[in-house]
Amino acid sequence: MQKDKFSRIISFLLGASSAIVFFGALITFRSFLSLGLPIAIFLTFGYIFVTLFMILALDSFSTNKQKLQEMKKQTKLLEELFQEKDEKIIDA
């Protein structure tokens, strides 16, 4: 089954997210270490919190897209069932 561009991008970002969090936290910590250790640690945790929230948002986008596709399939099946039921009523 071939994935669309949206799914490929989301899969790539979810796969690369751990590296983004790790290296981003390292860069954030080293950048703000000159201002003091407590500030650097606080800002690093803030960065980690924000990036994990973004990863959660990416995951929810993927989940909602899958949910939408399943709902479309179910709607199509229900429409077919209703058409069959209407045909049986008309034939009777």
Side-chain angles (χ1 to χ4, degrees):
M1 186 164 127
Q2 190 175 10
K3 293 183 176 180
D4 60 341
K5 290 181 182 181
F6 178 79
S7 296
R8 288 182 188 177
I9 291 171
I10 295 296
S11 295
F12 173 76
L13 289 176
L14 286 173
S17 62
S18 59
I20 292 169
V21 171
F22 178 74
F23 289 117
L26 182 64
I27 291 169
T28 302
F29 181 76
R30 292 183 138 228
S31 297
F32 291 102
L33 190 58
S34 62
L35 298 176
L37 185 63
I39 293 173
I41 291 173
F42 176 75
L43 291 175
T44 302
F45 278 121
Y47 171 80
I48 291 171
F49 177 75
V50 169
T51 53
L52 290 178
F53 180 75
M54 293 300 202
I55 292 169
L56 182 64
L58 282 173
D59 191 40
S60 68
F61 289 152
S62 177
T63 303
N64 284 335
K65 183 168 184 182
Q66 291 173 356
K67 182 179 174 183
L68 177 64
Q69 290 173 348
E70 288 298 319
M71 289 176 72
K72 285 181 180 180
K73 289 179 189 176
Q74 290 176 4
T75 303
K76 184 178 178 183
L77 288 172
L78 284 173
E79 287 174 351
E80 289 175 3
L81 286 173
F82 281 129
Q83 285 177 354
E84 288 177 12
K85 182 179 175 183
D86 287 341
E87 288 174 3
K88 286 182 182 179
I89 292 173
I90 292 172
D91 290 339

